[in-house]
């Protein structure tokens, strides 16, 4: 297959090395910028914080979010977003989910109709409760808004930066554009699969953070491996149930963006959501945890939004409910555990038939 870095023509667009912009210089945005630069692309990376931008220019690394990883000279660093975007053919959204609407509202007139947008964000907009791809679709001009692609899966940025084996999924309603993202991002150590179920992929990437907080709380309480295994399994069922009600394919949640990301985030010490849960289980207050961290803990906002949606739509989400009460109502973690264990006994596969098989 021809390397996109050499100028492959795809649906009328020639991929040019100098026309890829990554918006957001957190750990993941920085890692993807480096990965694409290693493939031969010239990358524009937009850094929100002026202080961080100056440090990155001076040190050629990201000391806040990805320390000790060198940034190639082919990654050009910008603090001015208009300059960074500069008519890019490919725009990669690597923002926290709560920032997507505000940032892209400011640049919507700078995105051409032929641009290709890839979203790496995991979560929901705090005001509209929409997924990042739907927020972007409402802001980006046609026809570009019909080919937005989402990339998600089990991928700690630091491991990808070390070129350790990683697999993710690229999702778009038009598989040709999912394939385009697949070809753009794939490397010998970063394998990309494709999927049409963009809603399911985004739900998996968002809801696993809620379960990861719960898994961390379980470990903070020293409840053992049995408890965490059960929590992950029941958490996956909760994610699948929510996805089905939202019109996604439940089996998507058994893939990389669901089960894959869930297992990683519930067990890996690099996960901010899991480590937040551990500290909550050990008795530390949420306020203290947030104040001591620099990065966004996506699962906190996601818990609030998913709980609101599930209550409005009548979706049974017992783990999400208990995480919400711990985070926002100061419920003691052991009381939340007691609530979960005292629920009415029931069948394991508790999907309503019409939700599990809506087409029948």
């Amino acid at each position: 297959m021809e390397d996109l870095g050499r100028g492959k023509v795809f649906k009328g667009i020639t991929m040019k090395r100098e026309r890829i912009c990554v918006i957001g210089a957190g750990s993941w945005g920085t890692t993807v910028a480096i990965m694409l630069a290693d493939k031969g692309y010239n990358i524009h990376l937009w850094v929100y914080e002026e202080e961080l931008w100056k440090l990155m220019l001076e040190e050629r690394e990201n000391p806040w979010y990805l320390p000790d990883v060198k940034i190639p000279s082919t990654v050009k660093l910008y603090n001015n977003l208009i300059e960074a975007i500069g008519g890019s053919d490919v725009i990669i959204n690597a923002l926290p989910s709560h920032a997507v609407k505000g940032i892209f509202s400011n640049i919507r007139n700078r995105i051409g109709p032929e641009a290709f947008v890839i979203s790496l964000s995991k979560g929901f907009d705090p005001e509209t409760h929409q997924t990042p791809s739907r927020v972007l679709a409402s802001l980006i001009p046609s026809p570009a808004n019909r080919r937005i692609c989402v990339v998600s899966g089990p991928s700690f940025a630091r491991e990808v930066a070390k070129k350790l084996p990683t697999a993710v999924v690229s999702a778009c309603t038009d598989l040709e554009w999912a394939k385009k993202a697949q070809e753009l991002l794939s490397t010998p150590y970063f394998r990309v699969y494709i999927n049409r179920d963009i809603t399911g992929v985004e739900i998996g990437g968002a809801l696993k953070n809620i379960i990861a907080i719960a898994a961390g709380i379980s470990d903070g309480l020293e409840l053992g491996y049995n408890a965490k295994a059960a929590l992950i399994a029941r958490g996956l069922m909760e994610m699948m149930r929510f996805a089905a009600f939202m019109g996604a394919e439940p089996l998507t949640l058994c893939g990389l963006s669901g089960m894959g990301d869930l297992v990683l985030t519930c067990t890996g010490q690099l996960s901010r959501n899991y480590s937040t849960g551990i500290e909550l289980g050990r008795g530390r207050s949420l306020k203290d945890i947030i104040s001591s961290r620099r990065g966004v803990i996506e699962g906190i906002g996601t818990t609030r939004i998913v709980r609101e949606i599930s209550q409005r739509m009548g979706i049974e989400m017992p783990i999400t409910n208990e995480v919400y009460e711990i985070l926002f109502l100061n419920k003691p973690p052991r009381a939340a555990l007691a609530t979960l264990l005292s629920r009415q006994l029931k069948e394991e596969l508790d999907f309503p038939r019409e939700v599990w098989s809506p087409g029948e």
Side-chain angles (χ1 to χ4, degrees):
M1 182 176 294
E2 184 181 1
D3 185 352
L4 286 174
R6 302 193 188 103
K8 178 174 180 177
V9 177
F10 199 106
K11 282 198 171 183
I13 294 179
T14 301
M15 298 297 301
K16 299 178 181 178
R17 293 181 182 178
E18 70 275 13
R19 301 189 70 181
I20 299 177
C21 177
V22 179
I23 300 178
S27 59
W28 194 215
T30 304
T31 295
V32 170
I34 293 170
M35 184 173 70
L36 289 173
D38 286 344
K39 289 188 70 174
Y41 293 100
N42 291 309
I43 306 299
H44 291 189
L45 175 60
W46 178 67
V47 187
Y48 173 74
E49 304 94 339
E50 183 178 2
E51 180 186 356
L52 176 60
W53 170 62
K54 290 178 179 178
L55 288 171
M56 291 173 69
L57 283 173
E58 180 181 349
E59 301 176 17
R60 293 308 300 182
E61 66 179 56
N62 188 332
W64 289 7
Y65 301 113
L66 197 70
D68 304 319
V69 178
K70 287 301 177 183
I71 300 173
S73 60
T74 46
V75 176
K76 295 183 177 6
L77 303 170
Y78 293 84
N79 186 234
N80 184 305
L81 183 53
I82 302 304
E83 292 178 3
I85 220 169
S88 299
D89 291 317
V90 179
I91 299 169
I92 299 178
N93 163 42
L95 296 165
S97 58
H98 71 267
V100 174
K101 184 178 180 181
I103 297 298
F104 275 84
S105 293
N106 292 331
I107 59 171
R108 59 191 306 176
N109 296 328
R110 302 281 179 165
I111 300 174
E114 297 304 318
F116 177 39
V117 178
I118 300 172
S119 179
L120 310 179
S121 299
K122 297 179 179 180
F124 297 90
D125 178 71
E127 295 180 1
T128 65
H129 295 181
Q130 291 181 324
T131 60
S133 71
R134 293 188 179 182
V135 172
L136 291 169
S138 71
L139 298 172
I140 294 172
S142 178
N145 64 354
R146 296 196 294 271
R147 53 177 179 253
I148 295 164
C149 186
V150 168
V151 174
S152 188
S155 48
F156 284 150
R158 180 157 290 278
E159 293 195 356
V160 177
K162 291 180 178 179
K163 300 185 178 181
L164 297 177
T166 302
V168 299
V169 59
S170 164
C172 185
T173 52
D174 183 340
L175 273 187
E176 290 303 306
W177 289 96
K179 289 178 183 176
K180 181 176 181 179
Q182 180 184 49
E183 293 169 0
L184 175 69
L185 294 170
S186 291
T187 75
Y189 60 89
F190 193 77
R191 183 172 177 83
V192 184
Y193 291 82
I194 59 173
N195 194 320
R196 279 194 177 91
D197 185 12
I198 191 169
T199 300
V201 167
E202 286 192 291
I203 286 173
L207 268 65
K208 55 87 180 178
N209 286 329
I210 303 174
I211 309 305
I213 293 175
I217 292 171
S218 177
D219 282 352
L221 293 173
E222 299 182 354
L223 300 182
Y225 296 117
N226 294 349
K228 188 159 75 169
L231 184 63
I232 291 172
R234 294 308 300 169
L236 178 63
M237 182 62 66
E238 201 161 295
M239 292 164 59
M240 294 173 72
R241 189 185 301 116
F242 185 88
F245 270 95
M246 300 302 289
E249 169 55 60
L251 288 177
T252 298
L253 280 296
C254 294
L256 289 164
S257 70
M259 173 59 86
D261 213 354
L262 178 66
V263 170
L264 178 71
T265 315
C266 287
T267 59
Q269 295 290 336
L270 292 176
S271 166
R272 287 191 292 266
N273 296 282
Y274 172 64
S275 59
T276 295
I278 290 176
E279 294 188 61
L280 287 168
R282 291 173 177 170
R284 192 176 182 191
S285 73
L286 181 61
K287 182 179 179 181
D288 285 346
I289 295 170
I290 293 174
S291 65
S292 67
R293 306 263 177 124
R294 192 183 292 279
V296 175
I297 306 168
E298 286 278 11
I300 296 173
T302 299
T303 299
R304 179 183 62 79
I305 293 168
V306 171
R307 201 241 191 185
E308 289 180 11
I309 294 172
S310 63
Q311 290 206 325
R312 184 172 68 248
M313 297 184 66
I315 310 171
E316 189 178 16
M317 306 281 286
I319 298 172
T320 298
N321 287 339
E322 294 308 311
V323 172
Y324 174 87
E325 295 201 5
I326 292 170
L327 293 176
F328 298 102
L329 302 180
N330 297 316
K331 186 172 185 177
R334 287 199 179 275
L337 171 66
T339 300
L340 287 172
L341 292 178
S342 63
R343 294 175 67 239
Q344 182 178 356
L345 299 177
K346 59 193 302 183
E347 294 184 20
E348 180 185 22
L349 303 179
D350 52 349
F351 274 92
R353 178 68 178 173
E354 65 274 14
V355 172
W356 181 254
S357 304
E360 293 185 3

